[in-house]
PDB file of all heavy atoms in Angstrom:
ATOM      1  N   ARG C 147     -20.564 -38.425  -6.321  1.00  0.00           N
ATOM      2  CA  ARG C 147     -20.577 -37.008  -5.942  1.00  0.00           C
ATOM      3  C   ARG C 147     -19.568 -36.786  -4.827  1.00  0.00           C
ATOM      4  O   ARG C 147     -19.542 -37.514  -3.840  1.00  0.00           O
ATOM      5  CB  ARG C 147     -21.978 -36.577  -5.486  1.00  0.00           C
ATOM      6  CG  ARG C 147     -23.003 -36.564  -6.592  1.00  0.00           C
ATOM      7  CD  ARG C 147     -24.254 -35.810  -6.183  1.00  0.00           C
ATOM      8  NE  ARG C 147     -24.854 -36.394  -4.993  1.00  0.00           N
ATOM      9  CZ  ARG C 147     -24.857 -35.830  -3.801  1.00  0.00           C
ATOM     10  NH1 ARG C 147     -24.251 -34.683  -3.613  1.00  0.00           N
ATOM     11  NH2 ARG C 147     -25.439 -36.417  -2.768  1.00  0.00           N
ATOM     12  N   TRP C 148     -18.773 -35.790  -5.002  1.00  0.00           N
ATOM     13  CA  TRP C 148     -17.769 -35.432  -4.011  1.00  0.00           C
ATOM     14  C   TRP C 148     -18.463 -34.987  -2.728  1.00  0.00           C
ATOM     15  O   TRP C 148     -19.471 -34.288  -2.760  1.00  0.00           O
ATOM     16  CB  TRP C 148     -16.911 -34.322  -4.588  1.00  0.00           C
ATOM     17  CG  TRP C 148     -15.765 -33.844  -3.771  1.00  0.00           C
ATOM     18  CD1 TRP C 148     -15.523 -32.549  -3.396  1.00  0.00           C
ATOM     19  CD2 TRP C 148     -14.658 -34.596  -3.276  1.00  0.00           C
ATOM     20  NE1 TRP C 148     -14.347 -32.464  -2.696  1.00  0.00           N
ATOM     21  CE2 TRP C 148     -13.798 -33.715  -2.598  1.00  0.00           C
ATOM     22  CE3 TRP C 148     -14.328 -35.952  -3.318  1.00  0.00           C
ATOM     23  CZ2 TRP C 148     -12.629 -34.125  -1.984  1.00  0.00           C
ATOM     24  CZ3 TRP C 148     -13.156 -36.356  -2.717  1.00  0.00           C
ATOM     25  CH2 TRP C 148     -12.325 -35.455  -2.061  1.00  0.00           C
ATOM     26  N   ASP C 149     -17.931 -35.389  -1.586  1.00  0.00           N
ATOM     27  CA  ASP C 149     -18.599 -35.121  -0.314  1.00  0.00           C
ATOM     28  C   ASP C 149     -18.273 -33.753   0.261  1.00  0.00           C
ATOM     29  O   ASP C 149     -18.900 -33.316   1.210  1.00  0.00           O
ATOM     30  CB  ASP C 149     -18.238 -36.199   0.708  1.00  0.00           C
ATOM     31  CG  ASP C 149     -16.746 -36.263   0.978  1.00  0.00           C
ATOM     32  OD1 ASP C 149     -15.964 -36.160   0.015  1.00  0.00           O
ATOM     33  OD2 ASP C 149     -16.355 -36.416   2.151  1.00  0.00           O
ATOM     34  N   LYS C 150     -17.270 -33.059  -0.286  1.00  0.00           N
ATOM     35  CA  LYS C 150     -16.872 -31.759   0.240  1.00  0.00           C
ATOM     36  C   LYS C 150     -17.678 -30.647  -0.430  1.00  0.00           C
ATOM     37  O   LYS C 150     -17.781 -30.605  -1.657  1.00  0.00           O
ATOM     38  CB  LYS C 150     -15.378 -31.521   0.015  1.00  0.00           C
ATOM     39  CG  LYS C 150     -14.489 -32.641   0.547  1.00  0.00           C
ATOM     40  CD  LYS C 150     -14.588 -32.763   2.050  1.00  0.00           C
ATOM     41  CE  LYS C 150     -13.549 -33.726   2.605  1.00  0.00           C
ATOM     42  NZ  LYS C 150     -14.090 -34.974   3.065  1.00  0.00           N
ATOM     43  N   LYS C 151     -18.250 -29.737   0.364  1.00  0.00           N
ATOM     44  CA  LYS C 151     -19.214 -28.774  -0.173  1.00  0.00           C
ATOM     45  C   LYS C 151     -18.726 -27.318  -0.150  1.00  0.00           C
ATOM     46  O   LYS C 151     -18.932 -26.570  -1.073  1.00  0.00           O
ATOM     47  CB  LYS C 151     -20.542 -28.887   0.592  1.00  0.00           C
ATOM     48  CG  LYS C 151     -21.132 -30.297   0.578  1.00  0.00           C
ATOM     49  CD  LYS C 151     -21.248 -30.865  -0.826  1.00  0.00           C
ATOM     50  CE  LYS C 151     -21.749 -32.297  -0.820  1.00  0.00           C
ATOM     51  NZ  LYS C 151     -21.695 -32.913  -2.151  1.00  0.00           N
ATOM     52  N   GLY C 152     -18.172 -26.862   0.963  1.00  0.00           N
ATOM     53  CA  GLY C 152     -17.578 -25.530   0.995  1.00  0.00           C
ATOM     54  C   GLY C 152     -18.547 -24.382   1.133  1.00  0.00           C
ATOM     55  O   GLY C 152     -18.174 -23.231   0.885  1.00  0.00           O
ATOM     56  N   TYR C 153     -19.795 -24.637   1.518  1.00  0.00           N
ATOM     57  CA  TYR C 153     -20.712 -23.531   1.828  1.00  0.00           C
ATOM     58  C   TYR C 153     -21.096 -23.607   3.298  1.00  0.00           C
ATOM     59  O   TYR C 153     -21.083 -24.683   3.903  1.00  0.00           O
ATOM     60  CB  TYR C 153     -21.935 -23.530   0.910  1.00  0.00           C
ATOM     61  CG  TYR C 153     -22.817 -24.756   0.954  1.00  0.00           C
ATOM     62  CD1 TYR C 153     -23.853 -24.873   1.877  1.00  0.00           C
ATOM     63  CD2 TYR C 153     -22.634 -25.783   0.035  1.00  0.00           C
ATOM     64  CE1 TYR C 153     -24.681 -25.991   1.904  1.00  0.00           C
ATOM     65  CE2 TYR C 153     -23.455 -26.913   0.051  1.00  0.00           C
ATOM     66  CZ  TYR C 153     -24.475 -27.015   0.982  1.00  0.00           C
ATOM     67  OH  TYR C 153     -25.297 -28.115   1.005  1.00  0.00           O
ATOM     68  N   PHE C 154     -21.440 -22.462   3.867  1.00  0.00           N
ATOM     69  CA  PHE C 154     -21.572 -22.405   5.331  1.00  0.00           C
ATOM     70  C   PHE C 154     -22.227 -21.096   5.753  1.00  0.00           C
ATOM     71  O   PHE C 154     -22.445 -20.192   4.933  1.00  0.00           O
ATOM     72  CB  PHE C 154     -20.184 -22.492   5.986  1.00  0.00           C
ATOM     73  CG  PHE C 154     -19.191 -21.522   5.402  1.00  0.00           C
ATOM     74  CD1 PHE C 154     -19.132 -20.208   5.834  1.00  0.00           C
ATOM     75  CD2 PHE C 154     -18.328 -21.924   4.399  1.00  0.00           C
ATOM     76  CE1 PHE C 154     -18.240 -19.310   5.272  1.00  0.00           C
ATOM     77  CE2 PHE C 154     -17.428 -21.031   3.820  1.00  0.00           C
ATOM     78  CZ  PHE C 154     -17.385 -19.720   4.272  1.00  0.00           C
ATOM     79  N   SER C 155     -22.498 -20.989   7.035  1.00  0.00           N
ATOM     80  CA  SER C 155     -22.965 -19.725   7.614  1.00  0.00           C
ATOM     81  C   SER C 155     -22.376 -19.583   9.009  1.00  0.00           C
ATOM     82  O   SER C 155     -21.985 -20.567   9.639  1.00  0.00           O
ATOM     83  CB  SER C 155     -24.498 -19.691   7.692  1.00  0.00           C
ATOM     84  OG  SER C 155     -24.979 -20.652   8.620  1.00  0.00           O
ATOM     85  N   LEU C 156     -22.286 -18.365   9.467  1.00  0.00           N
ATOM     86  CA  LEU C 156     -21.874 -18.101  10.839  1.00  0.00           C
ATOM     87  C   LEU C 156     -22.554 -16.852  11.351  1.00  0.00           C
ATOM     88  O   LEU C 156     -22.761 -15.888  10.607  1.00  0.00           O
ATOM     89  CB  LEU C 156     -20.355 -17.942  10.963  1.00  0.00           C
ATOM     90  CG  LEU C 156     -19.680 -16.765  10.263  1.00  0.00           C
ATOM     91  CD1 LEU C 156     -18.474 -16.298  11.074  1.00  0.00           C
ATOM     92  CD2 LEU C 156     -19.213 -17.170   8.865  1.00  0.00           C
ATOM     93  N   ASP C 157     -22.946 -16.893  12.598  1.00  0.00           N
ATOM     94  CA  ASP C 157     -23.454 -15.709  13.285  1.00  0.00           C
ATOM     95  C   ASP C 157     -22.257 -14.945  13.816  1.00  0.00           C
ATOM     96  O   ASP C 157     -21.323 -15.526  14.375  1.00  0.00           O
ATOM     97  CB  ASP C 157     -24.377 -16.121  14.435  1.00  0.00           C
ATOM     98  CG  ASP C 157     -25.633 -16.813  13.940  1.00  0.00           C
ATOM     99  OD1 ASP C 157     -26.385 -16.168  13.192  1.00  0.00           O
ATOM    100  OD2 ASP C 157     -25.840 -17.984  14.273  1.00  0.00           O
TER     101      ASP C 157
END
Side-chain angles (χ1 to χ4, degrees):
R147 292 194 302 109
W148 183 235
D149 60 319
K150 307 296 189 252
K151 304 308 176 188
Y153 61 87
F154 50 84
S155 67
L156 65 147
D157 295 299

